[in-house]
Amino acid sequence: MADSASQQPKVSGPAANALIYVTLIIFLVLGLAAGWRSHRNAGLFLKAIRSQAVWALALNFLAVNIGSGIFFTLPEVGTIAGITGVFAYAFAAAAPLLVFAVVGPLFRKHNSRQWSMTAFIMERFGRPLHVVYGTICTLFVGMYLVSELTTIYSVFELLTPVHPLAPMIVICVVTTIYTAFGGVFASLLTDAVQCVLILVLMVVAVVAVAVSVRPSKADIDRVGLVAPTKMGGELFVILTLAIAFSNMYHQGFWQRTFASRSDRDLRWATGIAFWLVFVVTALVGMAGPLAAWAGTWSADSDVPGSSAFFTIVASLSGWVSGLTLVLTTALSCCAIDTCQTALFASLYDLAEQRVGIWVVRAAVVALNVPVIVLAMRAPDILQVYLLADLLASATILPVLCGLFRRLDFVHWTDALAGCFGGVVAVGCFGQVYLGNRHDGWRLLLLDGGLYVDDERVLGAFCFAPLGSVVAMLACAGARMAVTRMLGRAQYRYEMPAVEAASADELSIYAADSKPDNLKSTDRKSG
């Protein structure tokens, strides 16, 4: 039964088209309805700060954490690292949310009207680092989009006889229409509704699998994947660091952080979202070991471990394939509209909020074209995520250091040196650990993937943030020494004196202003 993934799709062409396009029409109507309130409101369109209560925010944190890619990456971890690997991935996906419960209030303490990481960087470090961070944010979201479209392309290819290109393009068009119309607020509302639907469908799918797939104890003992593994233990560290740092470059997380009505709501929402993300990812990841135990997937077959989930689906009734199709379409809409609104924010900030919203809308629409072309080349999904995560691990800590008063001596040049130092640290570690320059510096590409027999990947993700902080402090020390020798005043950043914002200021989304007339009212000169 291990070759069941290669069976003919159980969803016919007409049925597949009906399920996909009806789902997309529903989401389009929902998105446009949600955007009706925000399309003429600058605050809601771009920021939506302090607009979301606890449960809506928790569902949105779930939405930004998951996409259809979980059906490939999570079961694959289970087939390689066993149950330990599954729970390591689930913990690593959920735990970084708690970081935003700590860092979010720090940003608000710094500026009660803060609405994005890039706005803070402009205020704290100035334009040079602002450009670097904004560029990386844009590249990050683009990589997430490529991986999500690659995934949905593969899902349609596995589950239906329909050529995946047309529905993939339609998904991009639908999400672009309602996000361009309603902005962040539309994305927040649609994601909350979509996540309710996703959770309901997940429950139905889990019950269907539990009733139909029952491996015996003998099968479990024969296959294994139960005992703790060394790789599973390493994944707790690697994935937690990787996801925590990469989330800092995803504007979708910051948009949701600043959308919380209060710090208390943010703490509750991230706590609830932690368990939602942990349970959902753990259940999906267990499809890997379950497929191996049930015999629908085998390590000896030609079917990759990333397809383990779909071997289970192929062994069940046709309606389960249809439900999976709707589920992956909903997940993709969640992920893609979040990425598109994140692109709006990144590009708008990168242009210093000096361009019209229609220019940003047009830019996001144009960026969909190369993203779709890259997605059709079917890159390794996990490899795309790993490269983005390693870059984040090497560059984010110097930026976050700007939040702390005791580090008010850190200049933008120090932070930038720290970013480069993190990248160099990975190459230097690789050269020492692997014993030669060529393989050592190729560690920056992680071309061996995540699942290797040694500790090169673990070392890369540990030395990247450590190297960035060391390089930042070294640069700061050298700069301060030179400044002292020249008899000049030392650089110190003066934290703004923050007063409690008024009710009108906290409810900036109440002001009715057209997005196209939005001015640079929130930009500080830094």
PDB file of all heavy atoms in Angstrom, residues 19-53:
ATOM      1  N   LEU A  19     -15.482  22.381  -5.813  1.00  0.00           N
ATOM      2  CA  LEU A  19     -15.042  22.576  -4.434  1.00  0.00           C
ATOM      3  C   LEU A  19     -14.078  23.759  -4.311  1.00  0.00           C
ATOM      4  O   LEU A  19     -14.200  24.589  -3.397  1.00  0.00           O
ATOM      5  CB  LEU A  19     -14.362  21.302  -3.920  1.00  0.00           C
ATOM      6  CG  LEU A  19     -15.274  20.110  -3.632  1.00  0.00           C
ATOM      7  CD1 LEU A  19     -14.442  18.864  -3.351  1.00  0.00           C
ATOM      8  CD2 LEU A  19     -16.194  20.404  -2.469  1.00  0.00           C
ATOM      9  N   ILE A  20     -13.131  23.833  -5.236  1.00  0.00           N
ATOM     10  CA  ILE A  20     -12.126  24.906  -5.172  1.00  0.00           C
ATOM     11  C   ILE A  20     -12.761  26.269  -5.405  1.00  0.00           C
ATOM     12  O   ILE A  20     -12.594  27.206  -4.603  1.00  0.00           O
ATOM     13  CB  ILE A  20     -11.007  24.658  -6.205  1.00  0.00           C
ATOM     14  CG1 ILE A  20     -10.208  23.408  -5.844  1.00  0.00           C
ATOM     15  CG2 ILE A  20     -10.071  25.874  -6.283  1.00  0.00           C
ATOM     16  CD1 ILE A  20      -9.252  22.959  -6.935  1.00  0.00           C
ATOM     17  N   TYR A  21     -13.526  26.392  -6.477  1.00  0.00           N
ATOM     18  CA  TYR A  21     -14.018  27.718  -6.861  1.00  0.00           C
ATOM     19  C   TYR A  21     -15.180  28.190  -6.000  1.00  0.00           C
ATOM     20  O   TYR A  21     -15.313  29.401  -5.750  1.00  0.00           O
ATOM     21  CB  TYR A  21     -14.375  27.725  -8.343  1.00  0.00           C
ATOM     22  CG  TYR A  21     -13.160  27.551  -9.224  1.00  0.00           C
ATOM     23  CD1 TYR A  21     -13.042  26.482 -10.104  1.00  0.00           C
ATOM     24  CD2 TYR A  21     -12.100  28.441  -9.150  1.00  0.00           C
ATOM     25  CE1 TYR A  21     -11.913  26.304 -10.893  1.00  0.00           C
ATOM     26  CE2 TYR A  21     -10.962  28.283  -9.933  1.00  0.00           C
ATOM     27  CZ  TYR A  21     -10.874  27.212 -10.790  1.00  0.00           C
ATOM     28  OH  TYR A  21      -9.753  27.040 -11.566  1.00  0.00           O
ATOM     29  N   VAL A  22     -16.003  27.279  -5.501  1.00  0.00           N
ATOM     30  CA  VAL A  22     -17.062  27.693  -4.571  1.00  0.00           C
ATOM     31  C   VAL A  22     -16.433  28.197  -3.275  1.00  0.00           C
ATOM     32  O   VAL A  22     -16.859  29.220  -2.708  1.00  0.00           O
ATOM     33  CB  VAL A  22     -18.035  26.532  -4.288  1.00  0.00           C
ATOM     34  CG1 VAL A  22     -18.943  26.865  -3.101  1.00  0.00           C
ATOM     35  CG2 VAL A  22     -18.877  26.232  -5.514  1.00  0.00           C
ATOM     36  N   THR A  23     -15.409  27.478  -2.796  1.00  0.00           N
ATOM     37  CA  THR A  23     -14.694  27.925  -1.596  1.00  0.00           C
ATOM     38  C   THR A  23     -14.095  29.310  -1.805  1.00  0.00           C
ATOM     39  O   THR A  23     -14.202  30.189  -0.933  1.00  0.00           O
ATOM     40  CB  THR A  23     -13.577  26.923  -1.239  1.00  0.00           C
ATOM     41  OG1 THR A  23     -14.126  25.625  -1.046  1.00  0.00           O
ATOM     42  CG2 THR A  23     -12.854  27.353   0.028  1.00  0.00           C
ATOM     43  N   LEU A  24     -13.495  29.525  -2.964  1.00  0.00           N
ATOM     44  CA  LEU A  24     -12.869  30.825  -3.240  1.00  0.00           C
ATOM     45  C   LEU A  24     -13.902  31.936  -3.392  1.00  0.00           C
ATOM     46  O   LEU A  24     -13.670  33.080  -2.960  1.00  0.00           O
ATOM     47  CB  LEU A  24     -12.011  30.727  -4.505  1.00  0.00           C
ATOM     48  CG  LEU A  24     -10.743  29.872  -4.386  1.00  0.00           C
ATOM     49  CD1 LEU A  24     -10.025  29.771  -5.722  1.00  0.00           C
ATOM     50  CD2 LEU A  24      -9.808  30.443  -3.332  1.00  0.00           C
ATOM     51  N   ILE A  25     -15.054  31.628  -3.984  1.00  0.00           N
ATOM     52  CA  ILE A  25     -16.109  32.642  -4.118  1.00  0.00           C
ATOM     53  C   ILE A  25     -16.610  33.061  -2.736  1.00  0.00           C
ATOM     54  O   ILE A  25     -16.833  34.251  -2.463  1.00  0.00           O
ATOM     55  CB  ILE A  25     -17.270  32.096  -4.977  1.00  0.00           C
ATOM     56  CG1 ILE A  25     -16.830  31.994  -6.439  1.00  0.00           C
ATOM     57  CG2 ILE A  25     -18.503  32.995  -4.868  1.00  0.00           C
ATOM     58  CD1 ILE A  25     -17.816  31.267  -7.329  1.00  0.00           C
ATOM     59  N   ILE A  26     -16.789  32.080  -1.849  1.00  0.00           N
ATOM     60  CA  ILE A  26     -17.227  32.387  -0.488  1.00  0.00           C
ATOM     61  C   ILE A  26     -16.220  33.293   0.206  1.00  0.00           C
ATOM     62  O   ILE A  26     -16.581  34.297   0.843  1.00  0.00           O
ATOM     63  CB  ILE A  26     -17.434  31.088   0.313  1.00  0.00           C
ATOM     64  CG1 ILE A  26     -18.621  30.305  -0.241  1.00  0.00           C
ATOM     65  CG2 ILE A  26     -17.649  31.392   1.804  1.00  0.00           C
ATOM     66  CD1 ILE A  26     -18.789  28.929   0.362  1.00  0.00           C
ATOM     67  N   PHE A  27     -14.943  32.975   0.062  1.00  0.00           N
ATOM     68  CA  PHE A  27     -13.909  33.787   0.710  1.00  0.00           C
ATOM     69  C   PHE A  27     -13.812  35.180   0.072  1.00  0.00           C
ATOM     70  O   PHE A  27     -13.529  36.158   0.764  1.00  0.00           O
ATOM     71  CB  PHE A  27     -12.557  33.088   0.635  1.00  0.00           C
ATOM     72  CG  PHE A  27     -12.452  31.874   1.529  1.00  0.00           C
ATOM     73  CD1 PHE A  27     -11.512  30.898   1.294  1.00  0.00           C
ATOM     74  CD2 PHE A  27     -13.309  31.717   2.602  1.00  0.00           C
ATOM     75  CE1 PHE A  27     -11.410  29.782   2.117  1.00  0.00           C
ATOM     76  CE2 PHE A  27     -13.234  30.618   3.431  1.00  0.00           C
ATOM     77  CZ  PHE A  27     -12.277  29.642   3.189  1.00  0.00           C
ATOM     78  N   LEU A  28     -14.044  35.265  -1.230  1.00  0.00           N
ATOM     79  CA  LEU A  28     -14.029  36.570  -1.899  1.00  0.00           C
ATOM     80  C   LEU A  28     -15.144  37.462  -1.372  1.00  0.00           C
ATOM     81  O   LEU A  28     -14.917  38.638  -1.042  1.00  0.00           O
ATOM     82  CB  LEU A  28     -14.159  36.386  -3.405  1.00  0.00           C
ATOM     83  CG  LEU A  28     -14.245  37.675  -4.233  1.00  0.00           C
ATOM     84  CD1 LEU A  28     -12.983  38.515  -4.057  1.00  0.00           C
ATOM     85  CD2 LEU A  28     -14.459  37.349  -5.715  1.00  0.00           C
ATOM     86  N   VAL A  29     -16.347  36.911  -1.281  1.00  0.00           N
ATOM     87  CA  VAL A  29     -17.484  37.677  -0.760  1.00  0.00           C
ATOM     88  C   VAL A  29     -17.224  38.093   0.686  1.00  0.00           C
ATOM     89  O   VAL A  29     -17.467  39.240   1.072  1.00  0.00           O
ATOM     90  CB  VAL A  29     -18.784  36.846  -0.870  1.00  0.00           C
ATOM     91  CG1 VAL A  29     -19.940  37.561  -0.163  1.00  0.00           C
ATOM     92  CG2 VAL A  29     -19.134  36.586  -2.321  1.00  0.00           C
ATOM     93  N   LEU A  30     -16.717  37.149   1.471  1.00  0.00           N
ATOM     94  CA  LEU A  30     -16.407  37.435   2.864  1.00  0.00           C
ATOM     95  C   LEU A  30     -15.350  38.535   2.975  1.00  0.00           C
ATOM     96  O   LEU A  30     -15.476  39.463   3.785  1.00  0.00           O
ATOM     97  CB  LEU A  30     -15.904  36.162   3.546  1.00  0.00           C
ATOM     98  CG  LEU A  30     -15.452  36.275   5.003  1.00  0.00           C
ATOM     99  CD1 LEU A  30     -16.631  36.635   5.893  1.00  0.00           C
ATOM    100  CD2 LEU A  30     -14.822  34.960   5.467  1.00  0.00           C
ATOM    101  N   GLY A  31     -14.309  38.460   2.141  1.00  0.00           N
ATOM    102  CA  GLY A  31     -13.245  39.458   2.181  1.00  0.00           C
ATOM    103  C   GLY A  31     -13.710  40.841   1.775  1.00  0.00           C
ATOM    104  O   GLY A  31     -13.342  41.843   2.395  1.00  0.00           O
ATOM    105  N   LEU A  32     -14.532  40.906   0.746  1.00  0.00           N
ATOM    106  CA  LEU A  32     -15.048  42.205   0.301  1.00  0.00           C
ATOM    107  C   LEU A  32     -15.997  42.799   1.337  1.00  0.00           C
ATOM    108  O   LEU A  32     -16.003  44.012   1.566  1.00  0.00           O
ATOM    109  CB  LEU A  32     -15.763  42.045  -1.047  1.00  0.00           C
ATOM    110  CG  LEU A  32     -14.859  41.701  -2.234  1.00  0.00           C
ATOM    111  CD1 LEU A  32     -15.695  41.463  -3.486  1.00  0.00           C
ATOM    112  CD2 LEU A  32     -13.839  42.811  -2.491  1.00  0.00           C
ATOM    113  N   ALA A  33     -16.808  41.934   1.971  1.00  0.00           N
ATOM    114  CA  ALA A  33     -17.706  42.416   3.019  1.00  0.00           C
ATOM    115  C   ALA A  33     -16.901  42.946   4.204  1.00  0.00           C
ATOM    116  O   ALA A  33     -17.226  44.004   4.771  1.00  0.00           O
ATOM    117  CB  ALA A  33     -18.637  41.291   3.467  1.00  0.00           C
ATOM    118  N   ALA A  34     -15.845  42.226   4.569  1.00  0.00           N
ATOM    119  CA  ALA A  34     -14.996  42.672   5.675  1.00  0.00           C
ATOM    120  C   ALA A  34     -14.280  43.972   5.320  1.00  0.00           C
ATOM    121  O   ALA A  34     -14.075  44.829   6.180  1.00  0.00           O
ATOM    122  CB  ALA A  34     -13.979  41.584   6.013  1.00  0.00           C
ATOM    123  N   GLY A  35     -13.909  44.110   4.047  1.00  0.00           N
ATOM    124  CA  GLY A  35     -13.186  45.296   3.614  1.00  0.00           C
ATOM    125  C   GLY A  35     -14.043  46.525   3.413  1.00  0.00           C
ATOM    126  O   GLY A  35     -13.507  47.626   3.225  1.00  0.00           O
ATOM    127  N   TRP A  36     -15.369  46.355   3.448  1.00  0.00           N
ATOM    128  CA  TRP A  36     -16.249  47.501   3.222  1.00  0.00           C
ATOM    129  C   TRP A  36     -16.050  48.585   4.280  1.00  0.00           C
ATOM    130  O   TRP A  36     -16.134  49.769   3.996  1.00  0.00           O
ATOM    131  CB  TRP A  36     -17.713  47.046   3.212  1.00  0.00           C
ATOM    132  CG  TRP A  36     -18.657  48.145   2.852  1.00  0.00           C
ATOM    133  CD1 TRP A  36     -19.480  48.856   3.674  1.00  0.00           C
ATOM    134  CD2 TRP A  36     -18.852  48.700   1.542  1.00  0.00           C
ATOM    135  NE1 TRP A  36     -20.178  49.805   2.975  1.00  0.00           N
ATOM    136  CE2 TRP A  36     -19.812  49.730   1.661  1.00  0.00           C
ATOM    137  CE3 TRP A  36     -18.308  48.416   0.285  1.00  0.00           C
ATOM    138  CZ2 TRP A  36     -20.228  50.469   0.555  1.00  0.00           C
ATOM    139  CZ3 TRP A  36     -18.731  49.166  -0.799  1.00  0.00           C
ATOM    140  CH2 TRP A  36     -19.680  50.170  -0.665  1.00  0.00           C
ATOM    141  N   ARG A  37     -15.750  48.161   5.506  1.00  0.00           N
ATOM    142  CA  ARG A  37     -15.546  49.118   6.587  1.00  0.00           C
ATOM    143  C   ARG A  37     -14.186  49.792   6.499  1.00  0.00           C
ATOM    144  O   ARG A  37     -14.025  50.946   6.912  1.00  0.00           O
ATOM    145  CB  ARG A  37     -15.692  48.414   7.936  1.00  0.00           C
ATOM    146  CG  ARG A  37     -15.454  49.330   9.130  1.00  0.00           C
ATOM    147  CD  ARG A  37     -15.534  48.562  10.438  1.00  0.00           C
ATOM    148  NE  ARG A  37     -15.099  49.394  11.544  1.00  0.00           N
ATOM    149  CZ  ARG A  37     -14.876  48.952  12.772  1.00  0.00           C
ATOM    150  NH1 ARG A  37     -15.049  47.670  13.034  1.00  0.00           N
ATOM    151  NH2 ARG A  37     -14.466  49.763  13.727  1.00  0.00           N
ATOM    152  N   SER A  38     -13.203  49.075   5.958  1.00  0.00           N
ATOM    153  CA  SER A  38     -11.831  49.572   6.031  1.00  0.00           C
ATOM    154  C   SER A  38     -11.302  50.181   4.739  1.00  0.00           C
ATOM    155  O   SER A  38     -10.250  50.819   4.758  1.00  0.00           O
ATOM    156  CB  SER A  38     -10.895  48.433   6.451  1.00  0.00           C
ATOM    157  OG  SER A  38     -10.962  47.356   5.544  1.00  0.00           O
ATOM    158  N   HIS A  39     -11.999  50.004   3.595  1.00  0.00           N
ATOM    159  CA  HIS A  39     -11.396  50.428   2.336  1.00  0.00           C
ATOM    160  C   HIS A  39     -11.279  51.936   2.213  1.00  0.00           C
ATOM    161  O   HIS A  39     -10.481  52.448   1.433  1.00  0.00           O
ATOM    162  CB  HIS A  39     -12.174  49.846   1.148  1.00  0.00           C
ATOM    163  CG  HIS A  39     -13.437  50.577   0.809  1.00  0.00           C
ATOM    164  ND1 HIS A  39     -14.574  50.487   1.586  1.00  0.00           N
ATOM    165  CD2 HIS A  39     -13.752  51.401  -0.223  1.00  0.00           C
ATOM    166  CE1 HIS A  39     -15.531  51.220   1.034  1.00  0.00           C
ATOM    167  NE2 HIS A  39     -15.057  51.787  -0.046  1.00  0.00           N
ATOM    168  N   ARG A  40     -12.060  52.682   3.012  1.00  0.00           N
ATOM    169  CA  ARG A  40     -11.951  54.137   3.016  1.00  0.00           C
ATOM    170  C   ARG A  40     -11.370  54.661   4.332  1.00  0.00           C
ATOM    171  O   ARG A  40     -11.421  55.838   4.619  1.00  0.00           O
ATOM    172  CB  ARG A  40     -13.321  54.773   2.772  1.00  0.00           C
ATOM    173  CG  ARG A  40     -13.876  54.519   1.372  1.00  0.00           C
ATOM    174  CD  ARG A  40     -15.283  55.087   1.243  1.00  0.00           C
ATOM    175  NE  ARG A  40     -15.300  56.525   1.456  1.00  0.00           N
ATOM    176  CZ  ARG A  40     -15.037  57.445   0.524  1.00  0.00           C
ATOM    177  NH1 ARG A  40     -14.729  57.056  -0.704  1.00  0.00           N
ATOM    178  NH2 ARG A  40     -15.073  58.718   0.801  1.00  0.00           N
ATOM    179  N   ASN A  41     -10.829  53.766   5.134  1.00  0.00           N
ATOM    180  CA  ASN A  41     -10.335  54.138   6.456  1.00  0.00           C
ATOM    181  C   ASN A  41      -8.843  53.820   6.540  1.00  0.00           C
ATOM    182  O   ASN A  41      -8.448  52.657   6.540  1.00  0.00           O
ATOM    183  CB  ASN A  41     -11.115  53.355   7.521  1.00  0.00           C
ATOM    184  CG  ASN A  41     -10.770  53.787   8.936  1.00  0.00           C
ATOM    185  OD1 ASN A  41      -9.604  53.865   9.290  1.00  0.00           O
ATOM    186  ND2 ASN A  41     -11.787  54.050   9.730  1.00  0.00           N
ATOM    187  N   ALA A  42      -8.028  54.848   6.582  1.00  0.00           N
ATOM    188  CA  ALA A  42      -6.577  54.659   6.537  1.00  0.00           C
ATOM    189  C   ALA A  42      -6.065  53.821   7.705  1.00  0.00           C
ATOM    190  O   ALA A  42      -5.207  52.954   7.537  1.00  0.00           O
ATOM    191  CB  ALA A  42      -5.875  56.022   6.536  1.00  0.00           C
ATOM    192  N   GLY A  43      -6.594  54.094   8.907  1.00  0.00           N
ATOM    193  CA  GLY A  43      -6.128  53.361  10.071  1.00  0.00           C
ATOM    194  C   GLY A  43      -6.395  51.878   9.972  1.00  0.00           C
ATOM    195  O   GLY A  43      -5.528  51.053  10.252  1.00  0.00           O
ATOM    196  N   LEU A  44      -7.609  51.506   9.549  1.00  0.00           N
ATOM    197  CA  LEU A  44      -7.956  50.095   9.430  1.00  0.00           C
ATOM    198  C   LEU A  44      -7.279  49.444   8.247  1.00  0.00           C
ATOM    199  O   LEU A  44      -6.901  48.271   8.302  1.00  0.00           O
ATOM    200  CB  LEU A  44      -9.477  49.930   9.294  1.00  0.00           C
ATOM    201  CG  LEU A  44     -10.303  50.117  10.564  1.00  0.00           C
ATOM    202  CD1 LEU A  44     -11.778  50.006  10.248  1.00  0.00           C
ATOM    203  CD2 LEU A  44      -9.919  49.103  11.616  1.00  0.00           C
ATOM    204  N   PHE A  45      -7.115  50.175   7.159  1.00  0.00           N
ATOM    205  CA  PHE A  45      -6.565  49.581   5.945  1.00  0.00           C
ATOM    206  C   PHE A  45      -5.112  49.155   6.129  1.00  0.00           C
ATOM    207  O   PHE A  45      -4.724  48.049   5.743  1.00  0.00           O
ATOM    208  CB  PHE A  45      -6.662  50.574   4.781  1.00  0.00           C
ATOM    209  CG  PHE A  45      -6.210  50.001   3.470  1.00  0.00           C
ATOM    210  CD1 PHE A  45      -7.096  49.333   2.645  1.00  0.00           C
ATOM    211  CD2 PHE A  45      -4.888  50.107   3.052  1.00  0.00           C
ATOM    212  CE1 PHE A  45      -6.685  48.787   1.439  1.00  0.00           C
ATOM    213  CE2 PHE A  45      -4.456  49.561   1.854  1.00  0.00           C
ATOM    214  CZ  PHE A  45      -5.368  48.904   1.050  1.00  0.00           C
ATOM    215  N   LEU A  46      -4.299  50.011   6.732  1.00  0.00           N
ATOM    216  CA  LEU A  46      -2.871  49.731   6.835  1.00  0.00           C
ATOM    217  C   LEU A  46      -2.455  49.167   8.187  1.00  0.00           C
ATOM    218  O   LEU A  46      -1.470  48.440   8.274  1.00  0.00           O
ATOM    219  CB  LEU A  46      -2.065  51.011   6.590  1.00  0.00           C
ATOM    220  CG  LEU A  46      -1.751  51.344   5.141  1.00  0.00           C
ATOM    221  CD1 LEU A  46      -1.094  52.704   5.070  1.00  0.00           C
ATOM    222  CD2 LEU A  46      -0.857  50.299   4.511  1.00  0.00           C
ATOM    223  N   LYS A  47      -3.220  49.481   9.239  1.00  0.00           N
ATOM    224  CA  LYS A  47      -2.723  49.180  10.575  1.00  0.00           C
ATOM    225  C   LYS A  47      -3.688  48.327  11.394  1.00  0.00           C
ATOM    226  O   LYS A  47      -3.297  47.304  11.939  1.00  0.00           O
ATOM    227  CB  LYS A  47      -2.444  50.483  11.323  1.00  0.00           C
ATOM    228  CG  LYS A  47      -1.618  51.478  10.514  1.00  0.00           C
ATOM    229  CD  LYS A  47      -1.528  52.818  11.210  1.00  0.00           C
ATOM    230  CE  LYS A  47      -0.832  53.854  10.338  1.00  0.00           C
ATOM    231  NZ  LYS A  47      -0.731  55.154  11.006  1.00  0.00           N
ATOM    232  N   ALA A  48      -4.925  48.792  11.530  1.00  0.00           N
ATOM    233  CA  ALA A  48      -5.934  48.115  12.352  1.00  0.00           C
ATOM    234  C   ALA A  48      -5.446  47.937  13.786  1.00  0.00           C
ATOM    235  O   ALA A  48      -5.770  46.947  14.441  1.00  0.00           O
ATOM    236  CB  ALA A  48      -6.311  46.765  11.741  1.00  0.00           C
ATOM    237  N   ILE A  49      -4.645  48.898  14.288  1.00  0.00           N
ATOM    238  CA  ILE A  49      -4.118  48.734  15.640  1.00  0.00           C
ATOM    239  C   ILE A  49      -5.246  48.851  16.653  1.00  0.00           C
ATOM    240  O   ILE A  49      -6.201  49.594  16.486  1.00  0.00           O
ATOM    241  CB  ILE A  49      -2.991  49.744  15.951  1.00  0.00           C
ATOM    242  CG1 ILE A  49      -3.500  51.175  15.936  1.00  0.00           C
ATOM    243  CG2 ILE A  49      -1.843  49.583  15.007  1.00  0.00           C
ATOM    244  CD1 ILE A  49      -2.470  52.177  16.423  1.00  0.00           C
ATOM    245  N   ARG A  50      -5.124  48.024  17.716  1.00  0.00           N
ATOM    246  CA  ARG A  50      -6.075  47.979  18.816  1.00  0.00           C
ATOM    247  C   ARG A  50      -7.506  47.714  18.339  1.00  0.00           C
ATOM    248  O   ARG A  50      -8.459  48.280  18.865  1.00  0.00           O
ATOM    249  CB  ARG A  50      -6.007  49.268  19.644  1.00  0.00           C
ATOM    250  CG  ARG A  50      -4.630  49.495  20.276  1.00  0.00           C
ATOM    251  CD  ARG A  50      -4.627  50.687  21.206  1.00  0.00           C
ATOM    252  NE  ARG A  50      -3.303  50.973  21.713  1.00  0.00           N
ATOM    253  CZ  ARG A  50      -2.792  50.475  22.846  1.00  0.00           C
ATOM    254  NH1 ARG A  50      -3.511  49.645  23.574  1.00  0.00           N
ATOM    255  NH2 ARG A  50      -1.573  50.804  23.243  1.00  0.00           N
ATOM    256  N   SER A  51      -7.643  46.847  17.350  1.00  0.00           N
ATOM    257  CA  SER A  51      -8.973  46.571  16.800  1.00  0.00           C
ATOM    258  C   SER A  51      -9.475  45.163  17.061  1.00  0.00           C
ATOM    259  O   SER A  51     -10.623  44.852  16.778  1.00  0.00           O
ATOM    260  CB  SER A  51      -8.961  46.811  15.277  1.00  0.00           C
ATOM    261  OG  SER A  51      -8.117  45.870  14.627  1.00  0.00           O
ATOM    262  N   GLN A  52      -8.613  44.276  17.623  1.00  0.00           N
ATOM    263  CA  GLN A  52      -8.984  42.872  17.746  1.00  0.00           C
ATOM    264  C   GLN A  52      -9.049  42.428  19.207  1.00  0.00           C
ATOM    265  O   GLN A  52      -8.153  42.705  19.994  1.00  0.00           O
ATOM    266  CB  GLN A  52      -7.969  41.994  17.008  1.00  0.00           C
ATOM    267  CG  GLN A  52      -7.828  42.315  15.529  1.00  0.00           C
ATOM    268  CD  GLN A  52      -9.105  42.043  14.758  1.00  0.00           C
ATOM    269  OE1 GLN A  52      -9.642  40.939  14.789  1.00  0.00           O
ATOM    270  NE2 GLN A  52      -9.598  43.060  14.080  1.00  0.00           N
ATOM    271  N   ALA A  53     -10.149  41.712  19.532  1.00  0.00           N
ATOM    272  CA  ALA A  53     -10.304  41.140  20.871  1.00  0.00           C
ATOM    273  C   ALA A  53      -9.551  39.810  20.951  1.00  0.00           C
ATOM    274  O   ALA A  53      -8.957  39.342  19.976  1.00  0.00           O
ATOM    275  CB  ALA A  53     -11.779  40.955  21.196  1.00  0.00           C
TER     276      ALA A  53
END
